[in-house]
Amino acid sequence: MLNGGYCYREQLNRRAEGQRVLDYLSARYPHSPREAWQARLERGEVRLGDEVAGGHEVLRAGQWLSWQRPPWQEAEVPLHFGLVHEDRALIAVDKPSGLPTMPGGGFLQHTLLHLVRAEFPQASPLHRLGRGTSGLVLFARTPETASHLSRAWREQRVDKRYRALSRGQAAHGEYNIHAGIGPVAHPRLGEVHAATPAGKPSRSLARVLERRQSPSPGSTLFEVDIFTGRPHQIRIHLASIGHPLLGDPLYGPGGRPLPDLPGLPGDGGYWLHAQRLRFEHPLTGQALTLRAPPPPLLQVGGAPNDSGA
């Protein structure tokens, strides 16, 4: 089934001044070649203000430029979630692996945000999980709650705990990881977040729950607390200590993109689950602990041939 399409709108700034529409779109949005933008203009999908744009118009700062993307077929993903907690201030849900949290990358309605807002129209996500990551996602139901919890998140007053299955058997029982995270080169995207000395300060605490003999040459089940919220932090940090997530198509040992055709950040196959959030409730001031049970493979004693999250 096709989705409803989407209108991308932007108000132009001074950098657009004097450029022609086709030149601007081709340079500003290089994910589509110039020929694709020319075809969209010819189909009448692009508007400058209230008028259909032909591509030759000279732009001025302050104008509105929009592209009405026609309906498209989105990739199949799990279209469900579990409701973990609900009150008048917030809700928490259990996201399945494979479901994007937010629109992007070709997804619009096949997202957790779309599914949640079908039941809770005012819900606003306070954070996001990677598409391949399962587990807890917290939504605010009022602007006041969103402001309160966003501040708590920034001030590291929200405890976040994950389960992760990594390649290789860990030599130590605990790892306090401080690898910096920032942009590095990626052959398909240009750049991607990864471990780099020039990156932003980051901290994770990983504890071994179980060492397994399979798959060869062994694997380690970690419990991970994160104290910063950098993109793909757990994937990068565990890889930086030599234990990339089992099945991760992007990050290799050292926390950098794999040297041979690394995958994209949204590609799945890895094992990571957000299992616990603990914070002060914005209305009552009481400590609230939310949990989402890990999938079988991320439980202690989980069989290596169990199905994924």
Side-chain angles (χ1 to χ4, degrees):
M1 182 181 295
L2 297 176
N3 61 29
Y6 188 76
C7 183
Y8 299 87
R9 276 183 96 228
E10 66 166 318
Q11 188 171 27
L12 301 173
N13 59 27
R14 282 189 236 173
R15 287 178 293 180
E17 189 89 38
Q19 297 188 54
R20 296 189 183 275
V21 170
L22 178 57
D23 296 332
Y24 175 79
L25 289 171
S26 302
R28 177 83 168 85
Y29 303 104
H31 54 71
S32 295
R34 184 181 180 88
E35 295 75 18
W37 283 116
Q38 179 67 60
R40 291 164 183 162
L41 286 158
E42 291 173 357
R43 292 194 297 266
E45 297 173 5
V46 179
R47 301 183 75 89
L48 183 60
D50 295 328
E51 302 295 329
V52 174
H56 61 279
E57 297 87 351
V58 177
L59 299 174
R60 301 189 310 274
Q63 290 178 302
W64 285 92
L65 184 65
S66 61
W67 170 43
Q68 180 63 54
R69 183 178 181 180
W72 73 92
Q73 182 75 44
E74 298 182 43
E76 293 299 320
V77 297
L79 294 176
H80 61 84
F81 63 87
L83 185 60
V84 175
H85 176 87
E86 176 189 358
D87 62 38
R88 61 191 178 94
L90 55 89
I91 63 170
V93 304
D94 187 355
K95 182 186 87 69
S97 175
L99 177 64
T101 303
M102 303 289 287
F107 291 98
L108 177 64
Q109 295 178 359
H110 287 191
T111 63
L112 180 65
L113 178 64
H114 184 81
L115 296 176
V116 169
R117 282 188 172 166
E119 297 187 33
F120 306 95
Q122 303 304 317
S124 174
L126 292 162
H127 61 118
R128 68 175 68 190
L129 298 180
R131 180 181 169 191
T133 305
S134 59
L136 288 167
V137 181
L138 193 61
F139 289 78
R141 302 186 71 176
T142 69
E144 295 77 17
T145 298
S147 176
H148 179 100
L149 288 175
S150 295
R151 184 168 58 253
W153 221 282
R154 291 193 304 271
E155 296 173 355
Q156 300 181 17
R157 292 186 284 113
V158 179
D159 294 333
K160 304 171 284 288
R161 177 165 292 177
Y162 290 72
R163 289 277 180 97
L165 185 61
S166 290
R167 286 165 27 201
Q169 293 195 0
H172 306 289
E174 184 173 287
Y175 296 83
N176 197 3
I177 310 169
H178 292 271
I181 294 176
V184 304
H186 185 282
R188 297 168 63 188
L189 291 177
E191 63 181 26
V192 68
H193 283 87
T196 171
K200 293 183 178 180
S202 310
R203 183 188 171 212
S204 302
L205 180 63
R207 293 176 291 270
V208 172
L209 294 179
E210 185 177 60
R211 295 177 179 87
R212 300 176 180 175
Q213 298 299 318
S214 60
S216 181
S219 56
T220 300
L221 179 63
F222 283 102
E223 179 179 83
V224 186
D225 292 342
I226 61 173
F227 302 92
T228 49
R230 309 304 179 201
H232 317 301
Q233 178 170 321
I234 294 175
R235 296 168 66 184
I236 294 168
H237 270 183
L238 289 178
S240 76
I241 62 170
H243 295 286
L245 297 194
L246 189 67
D248 195 329
L250 174 55
Y251 296 107
R256 308 277 288 194
L258 292 163
D260 185 23
L261 296 178
L264 303 176
D267 292 344
Y270 58 88
W271 291 91
L272 181 61
H273 178 79
Q275 74 168 81
R276 194 189 77 186
L277 288 171
R278 180 179 291 162
F279 54 92
E280 181 183 284
H281 193 282
L283 297 183
T284 68
Q286 299 298 309
L288 178 63
T289 300
L290 303 172
R291 291 185 174 87
L297 192 60
L298 295 181
Q299 297 175 14
V300 174
N305 61 352
D306 280 341
S307 60

